[in-house]
Amino acid sequence: MPLLEARSRSALYLVLALVALVAAALPLGTVRSSAAEPTPAAQPSKTVSRYLFTAFTNSSESNMYVYGSDDAQNFWSVQDKAYTPPAGLVRDPSVIKRGGRYYVAYTNGWTGTTFGIATSTDRQKWTHVADIDHGVAANNTWAPEFFTDSPDGKVRIVVSLSTGPTAYRHFQPYVLTALDGTLTKWSKPEPLRGIHPSESHYNGYIDTVIVRRGSTYHAFTKNATGEVIEHAVAESLTGPYTFKGRGDWAGWGDLLEGQTVVRLPNGSYRMFMDGYTVKKYYYSDSTDLEHWTPKKELPGLSGIARHGTVIQETATELPTDNNPALPGYHADPDVMHADGNFWIYPTEDGHPGWSGTRFKSFSSPDLVNWTAHGTALDLADVSWCHQNAWAPAVVKRGGTYWMYFSACQSIGVAKSSSPKGPFVDALGKPLVAKGQFGHQSIDPDVFIDDDGAPYLYFGQGGFEAARLNNDMVSFATQPVNITPPGYNEAPTVFKRKGRYYAMWSEDDTRSPNYRVAYGVSDSPLGPFTKAAGNPVLSKRESDQILGTGHNSVIQVPGRDEWYVVYHRFARPGGDGTHREVAIDRMRFNDDGTIPTIRPTQRGIKPVKGITS
């Protein structure tokens, strides 16, 4: 060994020994903070689950509807009429996710030898891929159901084919295997042996879903003669299958179809069933696929949805992750520092059509550990509007806290003696009325300059800027339109080293491509010149981070240390009304430009040592 290498290794061993001694000397309970720190063994990672449901409805068999859920029981609308095929029907849509894309296979006609395939990247907009001709002489091709749980990992479809002398009878399930990743080339169908029409069951079997548990394949198939869902098992996907449950073996009754099964986080199973004659949708649970609970109506969707499929989407959260910063669904966060704490005021999200009616406040000593303080302002206490509480912005001036908020597509002002509220309507009317400037009067932002002058910014579809009077409830200058290229909504303005920065959101908050851009100016009233290198904050699909936008910015008091607070689709499976608040570091180059901000799950470390 060379002498230099030996000395280097000896020095390394000495450093490691000193590190070990320092670590051992730390008081019990001390938190070590390091970006490279491994996950503590005592705090395992956590899997977050959400569910996606594609279906047609009682009102339309030519449009597909998409729903989401946190618990596979209470579903919200992701997109109505998400897909209309170029021709024919879109019944019985079965959904999977592969390689970052969603695919549905669906019944495209009452008769014929084809089924349809469509795809989407965002669950909202779907495009037709192909109509697949399976090559079997069949009267009917119904209910193609994806199966992706084979040990070989291949994508398969189980489809019901009527191959007898007459249509609508003599159905048998067949399985096809995808031959490439486009899902446009498929193998010749193979029948599922043991599940076939007979003299007593002359209508045969339709709507067959396969679930693999261990080495056993469980087939749940509708006996189209008895109008009941029956249960068969096999040691191979193609059979032979042996029936374990015939007739009303599970106690669900008859006149059910369209069954689909999803695995729940606790390892149990949930089956969904279409009570098509009474226009109801049901679910039932099992721990072993053999014993099931009595069926219950699916809240919210019973009476609406018809024969669809539910899949689980998952994301992993590590114990060191600090995003999302706030629990639950929140959006449009505004952040400030006051009275020794950081404060966030968000839109309360998770309501259909952004129909929340109150604003909450959250405080933190370090931007990581947040305390909820309940309702800061309730629109029930605002005389001129009681709906659509969006995008609050709060600032302290003198001894008063001022909240500018969107309600009824107008902008109001409320005040409080405490940052946590309660805030009280200060005007009894809007400061900016709905449509007053030819675009939506929403998304206010308030900024106090170094000389104490207050400014208000707002607007969707147009970026308005004005100076406020010292009373904070009237304009010293009329709002002027300073809309930069690409602007949609959510302006926020701050100052650093004598220059004014504006950030805003582009695209639509319902879009995965929702993103943040910025510009600079020498005046608080702009105009702001859009910087090169935009967008400065955008989606990160590899980590399921989508729809990053509507941000605010916070400087740590006394330091040139900055953070961006923004919302994004809840991870996984969120959308434009199911969003979460995140915080990441924002830095500046030597020339004052902002390098691209990377949205993360890790978030930030607790901010310590604040001096003012």
Side-chain angles (χ1 to χ4, degrees):
M1 178 187 299
L3 180 60
L4 180 59
E5 182 180 348
R7 286 178 177 173
S8 298
R9 292 193 176 185
S10 297
L12 175 61
Y13 296 151
L14 178 59
V15 170
L16 292 174
L18 288 172
V19 170
L21 286 171
V22 171
L26 285 171
L28 187 65
T30 300
V31 177
R32 298 172 177 85
S33 181
S34 169
E37 181 182 5
T39 302
Q43 296 179 325
S45 61
K46 181 176 67 172
T47 298
V48 181
S49 297
R50 289 193 174 90
Y51 302 87
L52 184 70
F53 186 9
T54 57
F56 75 104
T57 67
N58 279 303
S59 62
S60 175
E61 58 183 17
S62 298
N63 297 286
M64 184 179 74
Y65 290 65
V66 181
Y67 305 94
S69 175
D70 289 330
D71 58 6
Q73 180 178 335
N74 298 282
F75 286 86
W76 66 76
S77 174
V78 171
Q79 185 65 52
D80 290 350
K81 298 182 178 180
Y83 173 62
T84 303
L89 310 177
V90 59
R91 292 175 61 92
D92 323 321
S94 173
V95 64
I96 58 169
K97 188 176 184 181
R98 303 284 289 187
R101 299 187 71 90
Y102 299 90
Y103 294 88
V104 290
Y106 59 92
T107 303
N108 60 7
W110 284 103
T111 60
T113 60
T114 65
F115 58 86
I117 300 277
T119 188
S120 173
T121 58
D122 62 7
R123 305 171 302 157
Q124 297 174 330
K125 298 176 182 177
W126 295 76
T127 57
H128 182 251
V129 173
D131 288 324
I132 306 299
D133 194 324
H134 49 70
V136 173
N139 302 301
N140 312 92
T141 301
W142 287 2
E145 183 80 22
F146 278 117
F147 177 76
T148 59
D149 196 27
S150 288
D152 61 12
K154 293 182 178 180
V155 176
R156 291 178 168 84
I157 280 178
V158 179
V159 64
S160 303
L161 304 182
S162 168
T163 59
T166 59
Y168 306 109
R169 290 187 177 181
H170 307 284
F171 281 97
Q172 181 170 4
Y174 287 71
V175 62
L176 298 80
T177 302
L179 300 179
D180 65 10
T182 68
L183 303 190
T184 59
K185 298 178 181 179
W186 295 83
S187 69
K188 182 179 179 181
E190 297 180 60
L192 298 191
R193 291 169 292 149
I195 307 177
H196 53 77
S198 64
E199 186 175 342
S200 58
H201 298 141
Y202 57 91
N203 282 341
Y205 296 89
I206 64 173
D207 300 357
T208 302
V209 60
I210 308 290
V211 181
R212 185 170 70 92
R213 185 168 187 254
S215 61
T216 302
Y217 294 82
H218 295 256
F220 297 93
T221 184
K222 178 182 174 178
N223 179 330
T225 304
E227 298 282 355
V228 290
I229 297 170
E230 297 185 332
H231 177 211
V233 297
E235 296 305 308
S236 168
L237 176 60
T238 56
Y241 283 85
T242 301
F243 278 90
K244 296 192 68 175
R246 284 200 178 271
D248 188 19
W249 62 281
W252 296 321
D254 59 4
L255 298 175
L256 297 170
E257 64 183 22
Q259 61 280 359
T260 185
V261 179
V262 68
R263 191 83 178 266
L264 301 179
N266 64 3
S268 65
Y269 301 86
R270 178 160 294 168
M271 182 183 290
F272 299 84
M273 299 167 279
D274 181 4
Y276 59 102
T277 62
V278 292
K279 296 184 178 180
K280 292 184 178 181
Y281 224 88
Y282 302 100
Y283 71 96
S284 173
D285 293 340
S286 173
T287 59
D288 59 6
L289 296 175
E290 296 185 15
H291 303 86
W292 294 84
T293 61
K295 69 178 189 290
K296 296 181 180 178
E297 275 196 67
L298 186 65
L301 292 187
S302 184
I304 298 173
R306 289 288 316 277
H307 190 154
T309 304
V310 181
I311 60 168
Q312 182 192 59
E313 297 187 78
T314 62
T316 300
E317 289 185 356
L318 301 176
T320 49
D321 287 346
N322 288 321
N323 280 330
L326 303 181
Y329 295 126
H330 296 93
D332 313 329
D334 185 68
V335 62
M336 73 168 182
H337 187 270
D339 288 5
N341 280 300
F342 297 96
W343 294 83
I344 287 180
Y345 304 87
T347 296
E348 186 178 78
D349 212 13
H351 302 286
W354 309 289
S355 57
T357 59
R358 61 181 179 175
F359 301 107
K360 296 179 181 178
S361 61
F362 298 82
S363 70
S364 171
D366 56 14
L367 279 176
V368 169
N369 300 288
W370 293 91
T371 299
H373 296 286
T375 301
L377 174 66
D378 194 320
L379 292 189
D381 300 320
V382 175
S383 62
W384 52 271
C385 178
H386 304 310
Q387 61 188 13
N388 300 122
W390 304 341
V394 179
V395 69
K396 183 180 183 182
R397 193 165 190 271
T400 302
Y401 295 88
W402 298 90
M403 176 186 284
Y404 297 80
F405 61 94
S406 305
C408 296
Q409 291 79 58
S410 300
I411 295 173
V413 188
K415 61 182 181 179
S416 175
S417 59
S418 168
K420 67 180 179 181
F423 286 81
V424 178
D425 185 13
L427 274 175
K429 62 180 182 179
L431 172 64
V432 181
K434 178 179 180 179
Q436 185 175 348
F437 294 92
H439 50 74
Q440 279 213 87
S441 300
I442 61 171
D443 294 356
D445 177 64
V446 61
F447 164 70
I448 306 293
D449 207 346
D450 297 337
D451 61 3
Y455 295 86
L456 185 71
Y457 310 90
F458 63 91
Q460 182 198 47
F463 184 166
E464 304 288 338
R467 179 172 173 171
L468 293 168
N469 284 314
N470 290 334
D471 63 10
M472 301 296 284
V473 294
S474 60
F475 288 115
T477 64
Q478 282 299 304
V480 293
N481 190 305
I482 56 169
T483 305
Y487 175 92
N488 181 39
E489 61 189 8
T492 187
V493 173
F494 62 93
K495 189 176 185 181
R496 179 184 181 269
K497 295 187 177 182
R499 299 211 74 191
Y500 299 90
Y501 291 75
M503 303 180 86
W504 59 85
S505 293
E506 300 182 339
D507 212 309
D508 188 284
T509 192
R510 293 165 291 192
S511 168
N513 296 316
Y514 197 52
R515 58 192 178 267
V516 175
Y518 83 98
V520 294
S521 177
D522 293 323
S523 166
L525 292 176
F528 291 88
T529 301
K530 189 172 183 179
N534 276 303
V536 71
L537 174 64
S538 59
K539 65 183 180 181
R540 187 176 170 217
E541 290 182 293
S542 62
D543 204 18
Q544 298 175 278
I545 296 175
L546 305 171
T548 52
H550 201 129
N551 73 292
S552 57
V553 171
I554 188 69
Q555 179 185 10
V556 176
R559 306 206 291 257
D560 189 26
E561 184 177 335
W562 298 78
Y563 296 91
V564 60
V565 184
Y566 61 99
H567 76 232
R568 61 202 195 186
F569 287 6
R571 177 181 177 270
D575 53 41
T577 55
H578 296 82
R579 299 164 290 182
E580 62 188 18
V581 169
I583 304 176
D584 280 300
R585 186 70 186 268
M586 185 174 78
R587 292 179 168 83
F588 293 84
N589 296 316
D590 291 341
D591 62 0
T593 57
I594 304 174
T596 299
I597 301 164
R598 181 184 181 185
T600 70
Q601 285 304 109
R602 189 67 176 259
I604 65 173
K605 300 175 183 178
V607 175
K608 302 293 186 181
I610 300 172
T611 58
S612 60

